[in-house]
Amino acid sequence: MESAARRIPVMELFGPTVQGEGMVIGRKTMFVRTAGCDYSCAWCDSAFTWDGTGKEEIRLMTARDIYAELRAIGGDTFDHVTVSGGNPALLPQLAELVDLLRGQGVTIALETQGSRWQDWFWQIDELTLSPKPPSSRMSTDWVILDSIVGNLLERKRRFSLKIVIFDDADLLYAAEVHERYPDVPFYVQSGNDRLRETDPGRLLPYLLDRYRWLVECVIAHERLKRAHVLPQLHTWLWGNKKGV
């Protein structure tokens, strides 16, 4: 029997759905959302993974348990799994799940803020580093982020950078990140600061306005020439609903 230390703290398993963010936006996928984060972003849309409000939902699961439940939920309808959080990069034991999924021919995507390295990053097919801008009230450790980006570039792994944008200060931060890592595919995404809105029909017009604002800003920005400008697709479809 695997020890509790090797089990993975899981908040949610769901899908199939479509990936709503980053370089694989629109990709059909299953989701594994882990608990725990080393950040506490002011606008986090998954704060239940770290602020204590979701502690009763945490399950300590083995890699085999997770894969079996993904198959029970999704059957044979998927070949792609997204690992999200929280910050899944806090969990060295995720290496076992990554190995298992790859052995089953599953493509793996993962998003992390770039604050922690794990050797199992080498096995991730689509890795998104999403350092947090000033509106998050978090500070970027550039030494660590430089190291992670350098490792991935050296081995020519498939990865990207993504910045969520809420205001002009975030845009400036995004331009600085883009210029710091000019050889990395770069995405900016409009943020959602109406996390308590329960009516998707009322939320969507606001999100459309925020996306239009960001597109217009990037079009006019001299330092964001190669940026891809994205919405948060799943919020357009389902609002702030969990598990989609």
Side-chain angles (χ1 to χ4, degrees), residues 8 86 102 104 122 145 167-168 172-173 204 219-220 228 237:
I8 298 163
R102 287 181 64 84
Q104 297 295 325
W122 299 127
L145 187 58
D167 54 32
D168 290 337
L172 176 60
Y173 174 89
L204 181 56
I219 287 172
H228 301 254
L237 297 173

Side-chain angles (χ1 to χ4, degrees), residues 154-172:
E154 184 176 358
R155 290 203 191 180
K156 299 181 180 179
R157 298 302 300 163
R158 187 182 183 207
F159 77 106
S160 66
L161 286 155
K162 185 197 78 177
I163 311 295
V164 179
I165 306 294
F166 287 86
D167 54 32
D168 290 337
D170 290 353
L171 270 172
L172 176 60

Side-chain angles (χ1 to χ4, degrees), residues 3-224:
S3 68
R6 301 306 304 169
R7 293 176 183 263
I8 298 163
V10 175
M11 296 293 306
E12 294 183 293
L13 297 172
F14 61 91
T17 184
V18 293
Q19 173 58 256
E21 304 184 357
M23 65 178 178
V24 289
I25 190 169
R27 177 64 157 94
K28 183 178 178 180
T29 191
M30 298 290 290
F31 267 87
V32 177
R33 186 182 301 281
T34 62
C37 195
D38 49 337
Y39 279 22
S40 54
C41 296
W43 37 251
C44 180
D45 61 1
S46 304
F48 62 92
T49 63
W50 52 263
D51 67 2
T53 59
K55 62 183 179 180
E56 301 301 325
E57 301 174 42
I58 298 173
R59 293 184 289 163
L60 296 178
M61 304 178 70
T62 67
R64 290 189 296 272
D65 291 338
I66 293 171
Y67 182 69
E69 188 161 325
L70 289 172
R71 283 297 175 197
I73 298 169
D76 293 326
T77 65
F78 71 94
D79 65 356
H80 189 279
V81 169
T82 299
V83 182
S84 186
N87 183 8
L90 299 178
L91 305 172
Q93 65 268 39
L94 270 173
E96 298 171 24
L97 178 63
V98 171
D99 286 344
L100 176 58
L101 292 173
R102 287 181 64 84
Q104 297 295 325
V106 174
T107 300
I108 307 167
L110 180 130
E111 180 170 326
T112 175
Q113 56 260 48
S115 62
R116 188 77 62 92
W117 172 264
Q118 294 291 346
D119 285 343
W120 51 257
F121 281 6
W122 299 127
Q123 306 302 316
I124 300 300
D125 300 290
E126 297 157 341
L127 177 60
T128 297
L129 302 177
S130 184
K132 305 309 178 188
S135 62
S136 71
R137 301 178 192 164
M138 298 291 105
S139 298
T140 301
D141 188 322
W142 296 108
V143 173
I144 293 176
L145 187 58
D146 285 349
S147 176
I148 293 172
V149 171
N151 285 346
L152 296 168
L153 284 174
E154 184 176 358
R155 290 203 191 180
K156 299 181 180 179
R157 298 302 300 163
R158 187 182 183 207
F159 77 106
S160 66
L161 286 155
K162 185 197 78 177
I163 311 295
V164 179
I165 306 294
F166 287 86
D167 54 32
D168 290 337
D170 290 353
L171 270 172
L172 176 60
Y173 174 89
E176 292 169 352
V177 172
H178 192 28
E179 291 176 339
R180 192 180 187 99
Y181 310 113
D183 297 324
V184 181
F186 188 76
Y187 297 81
V188 291
Q189 177 182 297
S190 51
N192 172 18
D193 57 3
R194 294 194 175 180
L195 301 176
R196 295 185 179 180
E197 177 57 70
T198 59
D199 183 351
R202 294 175 60 182
L203 181 62
L204 181 56
Y206 174 74
L207 296 177
L208 284 168
D209 283 343
R210 297 303 300 161
Y211 181 56
R212 186 179 299 108
W213 169 82
L214 181 58
V215 168
E216 291 170 353
C217 287
V218 172
I219 287 172
H221 208 295
E222 296 180 355
R223 298 170 65 190
L224 292 170

